[in-house]
Amino acid sequence: MVKLVLLSEGLAGRSHELIAEKNTIGRIEENTFQIADPSVSSRHCEVLLRGSDVVVKDLNSTNGSFIEGQQISGEAVLKPGQILRLGQIQMRLETGNAVTPQRPSVDSTMILPRGQGGVSLNDLEKGPVGGNLDTKVFAPKRNKVNLYFIIGSIIIALVIAVGLWLALRALK
């Protein structure tokens, strides 16, 4: 039995058994393992069972997927006892074969040493190097379905308003 056990505060102890070859993890209900946390993307990652290996594949999530603090680019193997972090949510891979030692939950504040992704306040105040800022990195993801729904609702409301106006004019 292979399972992911949540370690983060408020979710600790909750687990998901990895039965299927492909398991999706994310914030929305369509996922195999739903984690309703704002730091987890709608479709955050896939956990694939390949023989005896458990492979994690990030699905271009906003806040990234990390194994033992190392960000996943593409796919990476998750070994029993290792910590998988999705956004701010931590979980450990456990198997029925061996008992893995309990790790204390890490505070949600992480301090990265300089050179490992940390940015100083002075660097932030200076702005981007060379003045070129790739705004796509910070752009929010857009949901086109909601946009189409809003536009369609506005059009329907306008048609109804015009229809009522014409009906009222005809009665006078």
Side-chain angles (χ1 to χ4, degrees):
M1 173 177 69
V2 179
K3 64 182 177 178
L4 290 169
V5 178
L6 292 171
L7 305 173
S8 296
E9 189 175 325
L11 300 171
R14 186 174 156 214
S15 66
H16 176 74
E17 190 172 347
L18 303 173
I19 301 170
E21 287 182 22
K22 178 180 172 183
N23 302 270
T24 57
I25 302 176
R27 196 175 60 246
I28 60 176
E29 290 180 19
E30 297 166 5
N31 292 289
T32 312
F33 187 20
Q34 180 188 15
I35 302 174
D37 183 85
S39 70
V40 176
S41 293
S42 300
R43 289 183 35 83
H44 200 100
C45 71
E46 291 177 345
V47 178
L48 310 164
L49 298 179
R50 292 188 182 149
S52 62
D53 287 339
V54 176
V55 178
V56 179
K57 178 181 177 184
D58 187 77
L59 299 175
N60 296 321
S61 61
T62 303
N63 294 318
S65 301
F66 301 81
I67 294 178
E68 295 294 323
Q70 296 295 316
Q71 186 163 12
I72 298 169
S73 58
E75 296 181 350
V77 175
L78 178 65
K79 296 178 183 167
Q82 286 188 320
I83 302 296
L84 171 64
R85 181 169 58 85
L86 309 178
Q88 296 298 318
I89 301 299
Q90 293 187 15
M91 58 193 80
R92 180 179 48 245
L93 179 66
E94 293 186 357
T95 62
N97 301 338
V99 177
T100 54
Q102 291 284 345
R103 285 187 162 193
S105 179
V106 177
D107 184 5
S108 62
T109 303
M110 293 181 61
I111 299 173
L112 296 174
R114 199 133 166 80
Q116 290 186 0
V119 178
S120 71
L121 183 58
N122 290 336
D123 291 342
L124 287 174
E125 289 173 348
K126 289 178 190 173
V129 177
N132 295 327
L133 178 63
D134 183 6
T135 57
K136 286 189 259 181
V137 174
F138 300 106
K141 292 183 178 179
R142 303 206 188 284
N143 187 342
K144 290 183 180 178
V145 174
N146 286 343
L147 178 64
Y148 294 143
F149 178 77
I150 291 169
I151 291 171
S153 298
I154 291 170
I155 291 170
I156 290 171
L158 286 172
V159 168
I160 291 171
V162 169
L164 287 173
W165 179 73
L166 289 173
L168 288 174
R169 273 190 85 199
L171 291 175
K172 287 185 181 183

